Amino acid sequence: MRRHKLVALFGSAALIGAVVAVLALPAQAGGVSCLGSPATKTGTSGNDTINGTAGVDVIAGLGGNDKIFGLGGNDKLCGGSGNDRINGGKGNDGINGGTGSDFWTYTNAPGGINAQLENSGTSTITVNAGGVDSVTGVENLEGGPFHDHLRGNDHNNIIKGQGEGDTIDGNDGVDHLYGQAGDDGANSGDSHIDGGPGNDFLYGGGGADLLRGDEGDDFIDGGTNDPEQGDFADGGDGDDTCVNVEGSDNCEH
């Protein structure tokens, strides 16, 4: 009887030791990737600010509303879940916004932006003197300090100009389009903004802006006007409301 008890005792001890040994093994690193490459930097399930380097980075934001800056190099940047803001910096970058409502920003771009968000697949965005970016899973755009051409798709987009006057086209969907921004809080140039089909919201900012609602019931706000220059709004088809404009057609005030 004693011999059987000793065998059972030693057997239990061996089993417990094996379990402890497994639990003591170090956690395996890796497993997180972005656009097919292992991540060199990862965020958390919360809201993170992640900065890349002057070289090539692969950054995965994971959960939360993250801010991701690629800086230099040809980076791969993935937002993951949440409403993320992603800025690739210099280089030819690949971006996947993931789920949520994400911004691809060019606030420090070295030249003008030519951007068209595609309805599906990859959008190719060209930065004058700054590279070509391939973008998927991004709903919103923010331009840079030069003259930009920013176009949305058939979904609901938020598009913001910056610096000098920009050309912004929302295309289809319910869009929020902003010509204003810049150092003084208002666009120093003259923006041309077209809402496209859908019930859109257009904001001109400073300068003599041309704001066209197109189809749908649009809200158009010229913003702060230069005393010697005025905004002009054309509501287009639909029941449109226009405020803070010097001249208008097809608008209710």
Side-chain angles (χ1 to χ4, degrees):
M1 180 66 70
R2 176 178 294 179
R3 182 173 181 275
H4 290 301
K5 288 183 178 180
L6 288 174
V7 170
L9 179 61
F10 282 115
S12 299
L15 178 60
I16 293 172
V19 172
V20 171
V22 170
L23 294 176
L25 287 175
Q28 296 297 313
V32 178
S33 64
C34 171
L35 297 173
S37 297
T40 58
K41 292 188 175 185
T42 60
T44 67
S45 59
N47 301 334
D48 304 303
T49 298
I50 308 173
N51 294 309
T53 66
V56 176
D57 302 296
V58 181
I59 300 176
L62 302 182
N65 302 329
D66 303 314
K67 297 179 181 179
I68 300 175
F69 301 90
L71 302 182
N74 300 332
D75 305 312
K76 293 183 177 181
L77 311 172
C78 294
S81 60
N83 303 326
D84 306 306
R85 297 182 65 86
I86 306 176
N87 187 323
K90 297 180 180 179
N92 303 323
D93 304 309
I95 300 94
N96 187 312
T99 59
S101 182
D102 305 303
F103 261 100
W104 180 234
T105 73
Y106 289 92
T107 52
N108 56 350
I113 309 302
N114 189 356
Q116 164 73 64
L117 290 178
E118 302 295 340
N119 289 325
S120 61
T122 300
S123 302
T124 300
I125 298 178
T126 303
V127 185
N128 294 334
V132 178
D133 299 325
S134 299
V135 179
T136 58
V138 169
E139 296 76 23
N140 311 307
L141 290 170
E142 185 170 23
F146 299 96
H147 292 290
D148 301 320
H149 295 265
L150 308 174
R151 293 175 292 278
N153 52 26
D154 291 345
H155 306 297
N156 301 336
N157 308 122
I158 301 173
I159 303 178
K160 296 182 178 182
Q162 293 277 358
E164 300 178 8
D166 303 307
T167 298
I168 300 175
D169 187 347
N171 282 324
D172 212 338
V174 178
D175 304 309
H176 290 71
L177 311 176
Y178 300 83
Q180 73 263 31
D183 294 339
D184 60 355
N187 192 329
S188 59
D190 303 333
S191 297
H192 292 183
I193 305 177
D194 192 326
N199 302 329
D200 304 307
F201 298 81
L202 283 62
Y203 303 91
D209 304 310
L210 176 60
L211 309 166
R212 187 171 187 273
D214 211 329
E215 299 177 22
D217 301 335
D218 307 304
F219 177 82
I220 300 175
D221 186 348
T224 303
N225 295 297
D226 186 303
E228 297 182 357
Q229 296 179 352
D231 301 309
F232 184 85
D234 182 353
D237 295 336
D239 296 327
D240 307 301
T241 300
C242 303
V243 298
N244 296 322
V245 294
E246 292 298 316
S248 66
D249 282 335
N250 303 313
C251 286
E252 296 179 0
H253 296 274

